[in-house]
């Protein structure tokens, strides 16, 4: 077997078997196939797609390129969730304690973001003392004792995916159904849980621009899950505005605290959090989604979720009264009366990145205190000169431009817009 013959088969439109796909994945992972060759392989997939069988082979080969976590010592039913990435996405921080307070286990490895805003681990690291690097026994013991632990992802899971994803990004081959499905599912399957709820974002700021392709991706991931005996539910959600009112690492921890203790609950964030928690609880306990939704809501309302959150953070050494939240503020006011019809998630993320909340643009360190708080929510009424948003910054010489840029992220219209449900559909 050699790479040239495999590529030639693809070019001629012939299907690949497992050995051929595994040959390419293994040799690329071990640096025996170079980036130029691998780009040709990925571009063939990007242009022509793969059959389901080939997508499964690709996923299986990527799973075995790294470790498969063994959670057999965990005494709880484990449920996992995954998001394809959103601006202001603090759903893991909210649903993990809700689900754990209902007796299930969340043993989650999350990422530090390389994108415009921080990942879950960056958000947790904005809490003074929080340890993202528990060893395997500490991680398992904590889940057995309190039902939840979130630590930093190891580089040992689905090793091939990391290399392939970086190359896909470089050559512009990200938005391909077989490539996304194999990338997500290889990591999720190797991460050990048998129940996986995927929050698949759809919209202009997401990988999936339209509902039809998102549904196709969802079905592919569910089918791959079935082959591995995993229960997979995919929730298609609207990603045209940030989630919640805060974007930025410590700001999102503050919003999580306010959300869980009932001080402030953004409507779209609440709908999405309770829906994801409900599917995790429903599949974990084998009860109806309606019943699970009621349990999730009760746990939120009776303080059980907040207590679990505090317990989780303190078990990992974190002190919620000490956040890395040092920043100055700049207020942004509305130029006109009307209703908020759009808050452009991507534009907001670009500003947050410039302020220092992510690692994009070769930034290596994160400023945990910076970001944006939206003082008006999507669809809300606003009057001229009312506060629209607040910028949290530490270093900038361009305050006026940032204020103008943030104003441009809001679309304000004269009539009350029709509210879109954040949940587009649920596929299982
Ligand atoms: N998220 C992933 O993990 N992989 C992709 O390819 C796209 C989104």
């Amino acid at each position: 077997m050699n790479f040239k013959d495999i590529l030639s088969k693809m070019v001629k439109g012939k299907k690949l078997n497992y050995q051929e796909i595994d040959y390419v994945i293994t040799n690329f992972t071990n640096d025996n196939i170079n980036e130029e060759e691998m780009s040709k392989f990925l571009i063939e997939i990007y242009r022509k797609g793969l059959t389901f069988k080939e997508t499964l082979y690709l996923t299986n080969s990527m799973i075995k390129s790294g470790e498969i976590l063994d959670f057999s010592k965990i005494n709880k039913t484990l449920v996992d969730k995954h998001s394809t990435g959103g601006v202001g996405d603090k759903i893991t921080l909210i649903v993990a304690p809700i689900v754990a307070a209902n007796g299930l286990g969340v043993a989650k490895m999350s990422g530090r973001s390389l994108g415009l805003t921080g990942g879950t681990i960056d958000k947790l690291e904005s809490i003074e003392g929080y340890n993202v690097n528990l060893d395997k026994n500490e991680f398992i013991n904590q889940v057995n004792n309190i039902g939840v632990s979130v630590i930093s992802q190891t580089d040992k899971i689905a090793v091939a995916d990391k290399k392939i994803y970086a190359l896909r990004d470089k050559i512009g081959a990200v938005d391909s159904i077989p490539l996304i499905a194999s990338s997500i599912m290889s990591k999720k399957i190797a991460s050990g849980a048998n129940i996986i709820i995927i929050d698949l974002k759809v919209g202009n700021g997401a990988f999936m621009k339209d509902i039809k392709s998102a549904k196709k991706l969802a079905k592919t991931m569910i089918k791959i899950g079935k082959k591995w005996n995993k229960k997979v539910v995919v929730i298609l959600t609207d990603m045209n505005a940030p989630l919640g009112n805060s974007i930025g690492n410590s700001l999102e921890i503050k919003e999580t605290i306010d959300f869980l203790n009932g001080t402030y609950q953004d409507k779209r964030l609440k709908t999405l959090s309770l829906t994801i928690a409900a599917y995790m609880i429903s599949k974990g306990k084998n009860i109806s989604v309606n019943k699970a939704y009621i349990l999730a809501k009760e746990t939120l309302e009776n303080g059980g979720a907040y207590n679990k959150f505090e317990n989780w953070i303190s078990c990992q050494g974190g002190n919620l009264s000490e956040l890395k939240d040092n920043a100055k503020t700049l207020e942004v006011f509305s130029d006109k009366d009307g209703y908020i019809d759009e808050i452009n998630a991507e534009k907001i993320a670009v500003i947050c990145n410039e302020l220092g909340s992510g690692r994009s643009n070769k930034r290596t360190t994160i400023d945990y205190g910076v970001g944006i708080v939206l003082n008006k929510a999507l669809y809300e009424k606003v009057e001229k000169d009312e506060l629209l948003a607040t910028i949290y910054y530490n270093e900038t010489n361009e305050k006026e431009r940032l204020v103008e840029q943030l104003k441009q992220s809001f679309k304000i219209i004269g009539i009350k817009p029709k509210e879109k449900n954040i949940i587009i559909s649920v596929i299982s």
Side-chain angles (χ1 to χ4, degrees):
M1 208 180 309
N2 65 55
F3 181 75
K4 222 171 121 196
D5 291 347
I6 295 171
L7 189 66
S8 154
K9 234 178 132 176
M10 291 177 96
V11 172
K12 288 177 190 147
K14 292 187 181 158
K15 306 296 165 226
L16 300 183
N17 61 36
Y18 177 73
Q19 285 71 22
E20 288 161 336
I21 290 179
D22 190 48
Y23 176 91
V24 177
I25 300 304
T26 307
N27 281 297
F28 178 61
T29 311
N30 299 336
D31 294 326
N32 296 323
I33 287 177
N34 64 32
E35 284 202 351
E36 198 187 332
E37 291 169 316
M38 191 63 179
S39 301
K40 290 181 187 159
F41 178 81
L42 293 172
I43 285 167
E44 278 300 315
I45 297 180
Y46 187 78
R47 292 213 178 114
K48 296 192 184 131
L50 289 179
T51 62
F52 174 71
K53 244 186 182 173
E54 290 172 308
T55 308
L56 181 66
Y57 295 155
L58 180 60
T59 313
N60 292 354
S61 175
M62 283 161 69
I63 292 169
K64 89 163 184 35
S65 71
E67 270 180 22
I68 299 180
L69 298 182
D70 173 13
F71 286 143
S72 54
K73 291 206 181 109
I74 289 187
N75 60 19
K76 294 185 162 56
T77 303
L78 284 181
V79 283
D80 196 3
K81 73 156 280 276
H82 179 81
S83 157
T84 57
V87 179
D89 191 342
K90 69 247 344 140
I91 299 283
T92 293
L93 301 171
I94 292 172
V95 299
I98 295 180
V99 170
N102 277 283
L104 297 163
V106 181
K108 193 157 172 54
M109 291 197 174
S110 283
R112 279 194 179 79
S113 174
L114 297 174
L116 293 169
T117 57
T120 300
I121 288 298
D122 298 312
K123 292 168 197 179
L124 286 166
E125 280 189 326
S126 73
I127 304 168
E128 209 60 70
Y130 188 92
N131 181 5
V132 300
N133 295 314
L134 301 184
D135 71 26
K136 196 175 167 198
N137 284 336
E138 291 170 326
F139 183 49
I140 288 176
N141 286 342
Q142 186 173 315
V143 178
N144 281 338
N145 291 337
I146 67 160
V148 50
S149 178
V150 180
I151 60 170
S152 182
Q153 210 160 290
T154 81
D155 285 340
K156 295 180 186 141
I157 287 176
V159 178
D161 176 63
K162 211 168 183 177
K163 264 193 101 178
I164 295 172
Y165 193 84
L167 184 56
R168 282 169 57 203
D169 204 23
K170 205 158 131 185
I171 63 175
V174 172
D175 54 337
S176 141
I177 289 173
L179 293 177
I180 299 178
S182 55
S183 166
I184 294 177
M185 292 309 290
S186 61
K187 283 178 292 212
K188 288 288 111 184
I189 291 167
S191 298
N194 290 324
I195 296 164
I196 305 159
I197 311 301
I198 298 174
D199 176 4
L200 177 55
K201 309 287 186 194
V202 190
N204 51 32
F207 293 113
M208 287 290 118
K209 309 282 180 222
D210 66 281
I211 295 174
K212 196 171 162 216
S213 0
K215 284 189 172 165
K216 198 168 167 206
L217 173 63
K219 286 181 184 154
T220 308
M221 293 193 289
I222 290 164
K223 226 168 142 186
I224 294 171
K226 280 210 175 103
K227 295 283 175 191
W228 280 83
N229 261 332
K230 309 278 180 192
K231 286 186 198 162
V232 180
V233 178
V234 184
I235 305 178
L236 267 54
T237 66
D238 178 66
M239 187 61 234
N240 286 310
L243 261 177
N245 76 343
S246 300
I247 307 99
N249 297 292
S250 64
L251 293 171
E252 290 187 46
I253 295 290
K254 282 187 190 161
E255 185 177 7
T256 301
I257 296 170
D258 287 348
F259 185 94
L260 291 172
N261 69 22
T263 309
Y264 172 76
Q265 293 174 335
D266 174 88
K267 198 169 144 192
R268 291 167 78 246
L269 182 64
K270 187 169 181 181
T271 305
L272 184 54
S273 301
L274 286 178
T275 304
I276 291 181
Y279 277 92
M280 291 169 87
I281 295 168
S282 158
K283 293 291 167 194
K285 286 182 176 279
N286 228 345
I287 57 173
S288 73
V289 179
N290 284 346
K291 218 167 165 184
Y293 192 95
I294 293 168
L295 288 177
K297 198 160 171 279
E298 273 173 9
T299 318
L300 181 61
E301 284 166 2
N302 68 20
Y306 182 72
N307 291 340
K308 186 61 79 178
F309 180 70
E310 269 192 335
N311 193 206
W312 154 32
I313 301 300
S314 71
C315 275
Q316 283 186 241
N319 183 350
L320 283 176
S321 52
E322 278 188 48
L323 300 183
K324 298 172 192 167
D325 58 357
N326 176 40
K328 297 172 278 238
T329 55
L330 260 178
E331 294 185 324
V332 180
F333 298 93
S334 177
D335 287 338
K336 55 181 174 184
D337 294 339
Y339 293 87
I340 315 276
D341 186 41
E342 188 188 302
I343 306 175
N344 189 300
E346 203 174 358
K347 287 186 185 165
I348 297 269
V350 168
I351 302 170
C352 286
N353 184 57
E354 185 180 330
L355 293 168
S357 73
R359 289 193 184 77
S360 217
N361 298 340
K362 302 195 172 57
R363 187 189 291 279
T364 51
T365 55
I366 277 193
D367 187 340
Y368 293 104
V370 301
I372 290 170
V373 169
L374 306 169
N375 299 94
K376 285 284 169 185
L378 193 62
Y379 310 126
E380 209 177 324
K381 192 167 190 277
V382 60
E383 284 174 16
K384 187 172 182 300
D385 297 329
E386 237 190 313
L387 186 61
L388 264 185
T390 310
I391 298 175
Y392 287 73
Y393 73 99
N394 278 316
E395 289 162 40
T396 184
N397 299 320
E398 298 193 74
K399 292 184 196 165
E400 276 173 29
R401 178 183 54 81
L402 285 172
V403 166
E404 200 42 46
Q405 218 170 310
L406 185 49
K407 264 190 208 170
Q408 299 305 324
S409 313
F410 285 83
K411 185 172 157 202
I412 298 172
I413 59 171
I415 48 161
K416 189 164 172 44
K418 193 170 178 298
E419 294 192 18
K420 268 201 257 170
N421 194 336
I422 190 163
I423 312 291
I424 298 169
S425 69
V426 178
I427 304 176
S428 61

